[in-house]
Amino acid sequence: MRDTFVWVALVMAMIVPASAQTFQAINRLQVVPLNQSDFEVIEARGEGARGIWCAAADYALARFGNTGQQRMYIKSPRGPSVSSAGRKGVVFTMDASSLAVAPSRSLSVTVRTVGVGLTLNHAVQFCRDNLIEPDDILLRLGGN
């Protein structure tokens, strides 16, 4: 009995720190810190590029503070997750010098090109897709 208790306690001790590191963004996507400057947004519920950039900006602002003019970059494009087996994800970095290619800008919002960067202020604007104004709800329901 004592051995079972010790085994369960050890397993729980390993599980809790891993889940405590995960950040849930405003749009309910999970963000997993990988190191001091890199983090991965785990794709879910059919969220597209705008939702993934929103989650990345939400995490970066919470983690690194209100540095809205700072840029974040795609380090690994949408593909198999590096932190969650069987899932898809996008790895972002705050450190442009860690990129395998030169940083770039894009006219379209993408999660498929390494080096593409946006300011946190720009990317967090995509989070507005997740906010519903009370008046919008009334209009959809036919109210005034």
Side-chain angles (χ1 to χ4, degrees), residues 14-124:
M14 291 186 317
I15 292 172
V16 171
S19 64
Q21 293 178 351
T22 301
F23 175 87
Q24 184 172 18
I26 188 172
N27 60 2
R28 297 181 294 141
L29 291 184
Q30 298 298 310
V31 182
V32 180
L34 302 174
N35 59 40
Q36 291 292 13
S37 61
D38 299 352
F39 52 94
E40 182 178 35
V41 177
I42 307 301
E43 187 178 287
R45 297 179 325 282
E47 284 281 357
R50 291 171 60 91
I52 292 170
W53 278 99
C54 162
D58 190 26
Y59 170 78
L61 287 168
R63 168 75 168 78
F64 302 107
N66 190 7
T67 56
Q69 291 306 312
Q70 187 172 2
R71 296 183 79 78
M72 63 182 167
Y73 305 89
I74 295 176
K75 189 168 186 175
S76 296
R78 181 185 178 275
S81 170
V82 298
S83 66
S84 302
R87 307 284 303 273
K88 298 274 187 198
V90 178
V91 176
F92 290 87
T93 186
M94 302 300 289
D95 179 10
S97 68
S98 72
L99 294 171
V101 300
S104 64
R105 296 177 187 208
S106 176
L107 296 176
S108 63
V109 180
T110 181
V111 290
R112 298 183 185 273
T113 306
V114 173
V116 168
L118 294 176
T119 64
L120 299 185
N121 281 343
H122 183 163
V124 80

